[in-house]
Amino acid sequence: MKRIALVLLLSISLLATALVDLATLSQASGLPCSDTPAYSNTTNIPAPAQFQTGLTFADFNHDGHKDALFSNENNETISLRIGDGSGGFSGSTDMSGTGHPWGLAAADFDQDGNMDFVATSPPFGVVHVRFGDGAGGFTPLTQYPVAGPWNDFVSTADFNGDGKVDIISPSYGASTVSVLLNNGSGSFTTTNIGVGTSSLGVDVGDLNGDGNADFVTANYDNAGTISVRLGNGAGGFAAMPDLISGSFTWGVGIGNFNGDAFPDLASTNRGSNSVTIFLGDGTGNFALSSTTPTTPHPMGIAVEDLDNNGVDDVIAVPQDSNELRVFLGDGAGGLSLIASLYVDYNSFVVAVSDLNDDGILDFGIGNNGGFQNQIRIFMGDCEQQPAYQVEVLYDETKAHKAGSTVPIKIKVLDAEGNNVSSPSLVVHAVDVIQTSSQASTVLDDAGNANPDFDFRYDANLGGYVFNLKTTGYTTGSYRLNFVIGGGTEVYSVGFQVRQ
């Protein structure tokens, strides 16, 4: 059986583009692109050590460009790299003495016009604040305790209406959130609020339209819940019923997924390999709208309007897969997959910003547990065109006995349908996903007929062969994920296994 699988290199689209003049007009007016959003991994930022567990973008030196601030948990440093306004970064500022830093957030805490930042130190149950000098330098850290240990994440908002930026950080070990109210002179007073068991991710927003900052937490328990707390504008909070989102909820974000002007919620559920959407009614109550499967053990989440259509979208970062997924909101509380991108294994955290000042959102990815020591930068492009198509040269519906070898045969075509398969165009296998469970099967070098995980070019075929060994596979449908030519776009073909 032969079919053409059109696998588009999907182009990030915030602004409509067909001709150069139209693209320029669209970027000025904020109109959506006519294409689907897409990203390319154009650059990576080297890190001084392993485990980039925190990441944020802000302008720390007043040059009008976004800089990258990221934590390196392994060597207990926080790194600043200065952005050049075109998606590149340079510099070597590494700040020590931060006690295994994780979460990061940037804000002007002392109201001097310079960007400062706060970092969590989970093993010690504290947050560290450093004040910026406006030139990329920072004061020594000031430390503040929170309710308990393992306060992995942090965010900021004005919780008491005094015009000063406050800090919020959940403590996994205490099932409590600490709100640090800013006195405006560089110090904070802590209030603790009870939330669900094993709180991790946090986001802030006005959930009931009263003008006060509220917050939600992702609770990493077996049930997988989200706690909702409504602020009273004076630093106090009222509890709303917890939401059941999915097993071991890790990340949570506030957005608008149906265009009704009421805030909604999205969560990544590590135990159930899913992204869940809850629609809000504008009073602080939420109802389950959709649950969308994603790649194994999603952790980091970003909720942003990537295509500028008034409906928010989701980036879900997997821990145990090389396939990051980008979903567009459908305007009715659902999500549709529009991009699968190759990332480092054990990717962990995502931050979104416009890194090249073109009006189109870009994002960065850090990893926790890998050995790449880098931040991957994905740039949005409103004009990117499809690069490859994949022609499948075998029967994807045939069931192969478990333990046998499945001969995956393909051709790589360009956007016009011309065969561009050649020995110099490398096709590299990434992983195998079981379709029903979304469970990832990392390719085993010892048990695979292609030990280097590269497809073998076959001149007689005019294409590629990957002999996939299915030892230990259970009955079901699977897909083999791969990248082409060293790119980051993930392509897939299917196969079936029987006992």
Side-chain angles (χ1 to χ4, degrees):
M1 174 180 290
K2 179 186 291 188
R3 71 172 174 84
I4 298 292
L6 293 179
V7 191
L8 301 180
L9 299 189
L10 302 163
S11 171
I12 185 169
S13 59
L14 295 179
L15 314 166
T17 171
L19 301 173
V20 173
D21 290 342
L22 179 58
T24 303
L25 173 63
S26 299
Q27 291 186 14
S29 62
L31 297 175
C33 282
S34 59
D35 302 321
T36 306
Y39 306 89
S40 56
N41 181 204
T42 58
T43 187
N44 298 320
I45 307 174
Q50 293 174 310
F51 308 163
Q52 284 64 61
T53 45
L55 174 64
T56 190
F57 296 107
D59 182 3
F60 290 101
N61 64 346
H62 291 291
D63 64 355
H65 306 314
K66 295 296 177 62
D67 310 311
L69 187 78
F70 55 91
S71 52
N72 309 292
E73 196 268 343
N74 195 296
N75 74 344
E76 303 186 46
T77 62
I78 293 175
S79 298
L80 174 67
R81 300 295 182 262
I82 301 300
D84 63 9
S86 63
F89 297 86
S90 63
S92 58
T93 300
D94 299 317
M95 293 163 274
S96 60
T98 51
H100 298 282
W102 275 53
L104 293 170
D108 182 4
F109 293 118
D110 56 359
Q111 298 180 309
D112 65 351
N114 300 324
M115 196 61 67
D116 316 309
F117 73 86
V118 57
T120 68
S121 181
F124 306 104
V126 298
V127 297
H128 301 136
V129 177
R130 291 181 186 257
F131 298 95
D133 63 8
F138 299 91
T139 63
L141 63 86
T142 303
Q143 178 174 296
Y144 296 93
V146 295
W150 308 115
N151 57 315
D152 293 353
F153 301 107
V154 66
S155 190
T156 62
D158 179 6
F159 288 107
N160 59 351
D162 63 356
K164 304 177 182 69
V165 181
D166 308 313
I167 297 169
I168 184 170
S169 184
S171 294
Y172 174 89
S175 300
T176 301
V177 165
S178 294
V179 173
L180 290 77
L181 297 179
N182 186 352
N183 69 10
S185 62
S187 62
F188 298 81
T189 301
T190 302
T191 300
N192 296 322
I193 301 99
V195 290
T197 303
S198 305
S199 52
L200 275 174
V202 62
D203 201 8
V204 296
D206 182 3
L207 301 178
N208 59 349
D210 63 356
N212 301 322
D214 313 311
F215 71 85
V216 292
T217 64
N219 304 318
Y220 192 70
D221 54 14
N222 187 56
T225 60
I226 298 172
S227 291
V228 179
R229 299 294 182 266
L230 302 181
N232 63 9
F237 298 87
M240 300 295 287
D242 282 357
L243 309 171
I244 306 298
S245 52
S247 178
F248 294 103
T249 300
W250 183 278
V252 64
I254 298 172
N256 189 326
F257 292 100
N258 61 350
D260 65 356
F262 300 140
D264 309 313
L265 306 178
S267 69
T268 46
N269 310 304
R270 189 179 185 276
S272 53
N273 298 331
S274 63
V275 176
T276 300
I277 302 296
F278 291 88
L279 297 181
D281 65 2
T283 68
N285 289 292
F286 297 85
L288 177 65
S289 177
S290 64
T291 298
T292 304
T294 189
T295 40
H297 298 163
M299 298 174 75
I301 187 172
V303 175
E304 297 282 352
D305 185 0
L306 299 175
D307 53 359
N308 201 32
N309 67 350
V311 175
D312 279 312
D313 313 305
V314 170
I315 302 172
V317 183
Q319 182 188 33
D320 294 324
S321 172
N322 291 108
E323 182 187 351
L324 174 145
R325 289 190 169 184
V326 181
F327 300 91
L328 288 189
D330 63 9
L335 298 175
S336 60
L337 175 67
I338 58 96
S340 295
L341 303 172
Y342 179 83
V343 293
D344 299 319
Y345 207 73
N346 283 316
S347 289
F348 179 75
V349 64
V350 57
V352 179
S353 187
D354 179 6
L355 301 179
N356 59 349
D357 305 321
D358 65 352
I360 302 173
L361 289 176
D362 316 300
F363 64 89
I365 299 292
N367 71 85
N368 175 35
F371 298 94
Q372 293 77 19
N373 298 2
Q374 64 184 5
I375 300 292
R376 281 188 179 265
I377 300 296
F378 288 85
M379 304 301 295
D381 184 354
C382 210
E383 300 175 354
Q384 187 175 342
Q385 297 298 316
Y388 298 114
Q389 305 175 60
V390 176
E391 182 177 352
V392 179
L393 305 177
Y394 67 98
D395 185 353
E396 292 178 286
T397 67
K398 178 182 177 180
H400 300 264
K401 186 174 177 58
S404 67
T405 297
V406 180
I408 306 290
K409 299 179 180 181
I410 64 170
K411 288 182 180 179
V412 175
L413 313 179
D414 64 15
E416 288 74 39
N418 302 307
N419 185 9
V420 294
S421 306
S422 73
S424 61
L425 183 65
V426 176
V427 179
H428 180 75
V430 174
D431 62 4
V432 172
I433 300 290
Q434 187 175 37
T435 305
S436 59
S437 68
Q438 293 295 308
S440 176
T441 301
V442 179
L443 293 173
D444 180 3
D445 196 321
N448 197 278
N450 294 67
D452 56 2
F453 304 137
D454 288 342
F455 282 61
R456 175 176 57 83
Y457 178 73
D458 186 321
N460 293 325
L461 184 69
Y464 302 88
V465 178
F466 190 91
N467 293 311
L468 177 63
K469 190 72 172 177
T470 60
T471 301
Y473 284 38
T474 58
T475 298
S477 299
Y478 293 81
R479 71 176 190 273
L480 173 66
N481 293 331
F482 53 93
V483 294
I484 300 173
T488 56
E489 293 75 21
V490 177
Y491 300 80
S492 300
V493 292
F495 63 96
Q496 313 295 318
V497 174
R498 61 175 175 82
Q499 298 303 306

